[in-house]
């Protein structure tokens, strides 16, 4: 047994009594709810014989408060400085940062933040490859080309990294150029190994025009390509690649524009949420689509009534950890960088739309404001994040305070599925870290469920 496994086993043994106490309490409340009875407040201490009530020693106060609140309740609010000083760990967001000073198309991309990946030690003024002209994504390209791409490919075969298309926990898909042709490279960050090239194109695309996502099981990659000239102005292209064989599985030609999409985490790769924006009219919709047949499972034709079109107001589209909700982030498209320099600073309007992950129906709407530039600031500054247990969502809201701006982190409680299995998963992930979950004496299928791994093929 390795040292890490032994440490996780000891952590499990120490926290198991309090964990069983909470599970028994939840089972009792669940049984009372099913029978229509009122919750009993006097039997919590006797729900599990032999389990001492040491919940306050192992769980933050937010966990107890969460049991007594309804959904969409503001659970916690603190300044951004206190959040970075440790409030994020106590709130169930360990190591999650909500601020980045990088600029899009220079330091970061819409899918990859350099500072949050620990890539911060590259000189911005001097180029590592002095013979190359500095361009967009220079810092990002130089890092990957210098540290991860084999020297033979970059120096002899003239492969040059343009930017990062998408990434997951360990896999990174790079946009690579060679002889004015775009193609993609696959990189495994855990073992620092370059896995190969795929998707060679006949032309070289601009990096900011390419959008891609990795499937939850990390076996597929779906990439959206820009329209090619006036002849194809009514057609958008999507390519589905098999990362094992590096081959093209499916080419999807559409009569509407698709700029934002994301995979459903409950499925291996066969379902995505798509934000459609029709070009010949003013229609827009949020669709849940089967990738294999590209047929809509559910459609919401009026996903965001406040905006005339999805793009460019829609800046991010993602699922919650359990796949029950689709989160759309909309921002004002005006640039306020010049006004910031002139001290005529005003906030931009932001909004989070929460839709049902099965029906695409809009469930909730949260407006907020930020003193950032939506065109040039890193998306980390306005994208919502989710807790490890998956039932909390946090984002930053800016409020004017005399001559300064106060940045507040707000944590909201998300609705959870009405099943005892889902409730138990929330409590387990509030009690144990994901590393300790793998050491629990449970079947592998239950461990996969606890870690939000895909359930359906």
């Amino acid at each position: 047994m390795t040292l890490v496994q032994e440490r996780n086993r000891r952590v499990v043994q120490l926290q198991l009594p309090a964990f069983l106490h909470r599970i028994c309490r939840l089972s009792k409340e669940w049984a009372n709810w099913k029978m229509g009875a009122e919750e009993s407040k006097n039997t919590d201490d006797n729900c599990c014989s032999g389990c001492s009530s040491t919940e306050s020693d192992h769980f933050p106060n937010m966990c107890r408060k969460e049991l007594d609140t309804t959904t969409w309740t503001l659970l916690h609010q603190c300044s951004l400085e206190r959040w970075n000083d440790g409030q994020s760990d106590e709130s169930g967001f360990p190591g999650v940062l909500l601020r980045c000073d990088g600029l899009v198309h220079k330091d970061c991309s819409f899918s990859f933040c350099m500072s949050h990946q620990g890539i911060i030690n590259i000189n911005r003024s001097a180029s590592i490859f002095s013979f190359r002209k500095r361009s967009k994504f220079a810092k990002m390209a130089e890092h990957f080309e210098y540290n991860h791409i084999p020297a033979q490919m970059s120096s002899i075969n003239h492969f040059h990294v343009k930017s990062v298309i998408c990434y997951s926990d360990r896999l990174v898909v790079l946009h690579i150029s060679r002889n004015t042709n775009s193609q993609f490279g696959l990189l495994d960050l855990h073992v620092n190994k370059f896995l190969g090239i795929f998707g060679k194109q006949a032309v070289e695309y601009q990096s900011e025009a390419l959008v891609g996502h990795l499937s939850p099981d990390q076996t597929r990659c779906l990439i959206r390509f820009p329209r090619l000239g006036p002849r194809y102005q009514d057609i958008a292209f999507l390519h589905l690649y098999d990362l094992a064989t590096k081959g093209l599985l499916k080419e999807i030609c559409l009569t509407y524009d698709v700029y934002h999409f994301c995979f459903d985490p409950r499925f291996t790769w066969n379902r995505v949420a798509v934000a459609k924006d029709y070009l010949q009219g003013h229609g827009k919709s949020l669709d849940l689509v089967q990738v294999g047949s590209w047929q809509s499972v559910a459609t919401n034709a009026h996903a965001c009534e406040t905006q005339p079109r999805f793009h460019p107001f829609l800046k991010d589209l993602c699922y919650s950890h359990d796949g029950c909700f689709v989160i759309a982030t909309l921002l004002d498209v005006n640039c306020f960088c010049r006004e910031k320099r002139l001290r005529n600073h005003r906030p931009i309007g932001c909004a989070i739309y929460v839709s049902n992950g099965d029906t695409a129906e809009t469930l909730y709407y949260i407006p907020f404001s930020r003193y950032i530039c939506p065109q040039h600031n890193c998306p980390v500054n306005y994208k919502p994040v989710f807790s490890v247990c998956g039932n909390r969502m946090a984002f930053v809201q800016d409020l004017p305070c005399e001559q300064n701006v106060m940045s507040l982190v707000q944590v909201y409680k998300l609705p959870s599925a009405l099943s005892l299995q889902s409730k138990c998963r929330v409590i387990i992930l509030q009690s144990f870290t994901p590393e300790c979950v793998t050491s629990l004496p449970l079947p592998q299928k239950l461990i996969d469920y606890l870690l939000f791994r895909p359930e359906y093929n």
Side-chain angles (χ1 to χ4, degrees), residues 149-192:
I149 302 299
Q152 181 181 4
M153 293 183 60
S154 60
S155 60
I156 300 177
N157 296 330
H158 304 291
F159 282 97
H160 299 301
V161 177
K162 304 287 288 184
S163 70
V164 174
I165 299 299
C166 54
Y167 81 100
S168 62
D169 294 333
R170 64 181 182 88
L171 293 181
V172 175
V173 176
L174 302 172
H175 178 207
I176 297 178
S177 173
R178 182 192 182 192
N179 299 330
T180 67
N181 296 113
S182 289
Q183 44 198 311
F184 308 102
L186 187 63
L187 176 66
D188 191 332
L189 291 180
H190 282 189
V191 297
N192 192 18

Side-chain angles (χ1 to χ4, degrees), residues 70-279:
T70 59
T71 58
W72 306 116
T73 300
L74 181 62
L75 296 175
H76 181 66
Q77 181 173 276
C78 67
S79 64
L80 189 58
E81 290 75 15
R82 292 187 60 190
W83 177 269
N84 296 331
D85 290 339
Q87 288 289 327
S88 60
D89 296 343
E90 298 178 6
S91 303
F93 300 80
V96 174
L97 301 178
L98 295 173
R99 178 180 177 181
C100 176
D101 296 328
L103 299 178
V104 177
H105 307 325
K106 181 180 179 181
D107 305 315
C108 306
S109 69
F110 285 107
S111 59
F112 191 84
C113 177
M114 295 285 287
S115 61
H116 287 202
Q117 297 297 320
I119 308 171
I120 57 178
N121 297 320
I122 293 183
N123 188 358
R124 298 187 184 185
S125 61
S127 175
I128 294 177
F129 301 93
S130 58
F131 56 86
R132 288 178 52 194
K133 182 180 179 181
R134 292 182 63 84
S135 58
K136 293 183 177 180
F137 304 105
K139 179 181 175 183
M140 181 183 301
E142 288 171 357
H143 168 80
F144 282 100
E145 191 166 328
Y146 184 77
N147 295 282
H148 300 286
I149 302 299
Q152 181 181 4
M153 293 183 60
S154 60
S155 60
I156 300 177
N157 296 330
H158 304 291
F159 282 97
H160 299 301
V161 177
K162 304 287 288 184
S163 70
V164 174
I165 299 299
C166 54
Y167 81 100
S168 62
D169 294 333
R170 64 181 182 88
L171 293 181
V172 175
V173 176
L174 302 172
H175 178 207
I176 297 178
S177 173
R178 182 192 182 192
N179 299 330
T180 67
N181 296 113
S182 289
Q183 44 198 311
F184 308 102
L186 187 63
L187 176 66
D188 191 332
L189 291 180
H190 282 189
V191 297
N192 192 18
K193 183 178 181 180
F194 189 76
L195 303 180
I197 301 289
F198 67 95
K200 183 177 180 181
Q201 305 298 314
V203 297
E204 182 176 350
Y205 292 96
Q206 296 291 330
S207 296
E208 55 268 29
L210 297 174
V211 181
H213 281 281
L214 288 165
S215 62
D217 62 351
Q218 299 184 355
T219 62
R220 303 288 189 271
C221 181
L222 187 62
I223 299 178
R224 179 260 189 194
F225 292 87
R227 298 179 298 276
L228 302 175
R231 290 184 55 191
Y232 305 95
Q233 63 179 0
D234 294 335
I235 300 177
F237 294 94
L238 291 172
H239 284 181
L240 180 66
Y241 294 98
D242 188 338
L243 298 182
T245 63
K246 309 297 187 299
L248 177 63
L249 295 179
K250 189 179 184 64
E251 181 180 41
I252 306 168
C253 299
L254 306 173
T255 57
Y256 47 82
D257 194 11
V258 172
Y259 200 83
H260 293 278
F261 55 89
C262 55
F263 282 94
D264 191 331
R266 296 171 296 180
F267 296 81
T268 53
W269 59 271
N270 200 32
R271 179 176 290 188
V272 294
V274 177
K276 294 181 179 180
D277 198 355
Y278 294 93
L279 302 178

Side-chain angles (χ1 to χ4, degrees), residues 15 27 40 123 139 165 183 256 289 308 354 364 380 396 407 420 426 454:
Q15 297 184 357
S27 301
S40 175
N123 188 358
K139 179 181 175 183
I165 299 299
Q183 44 198 311
Y256 47 82
V289 180
V354 183
Y364 204 73
V380 167
V396 180
S407 297
L420 182 60
V426 171

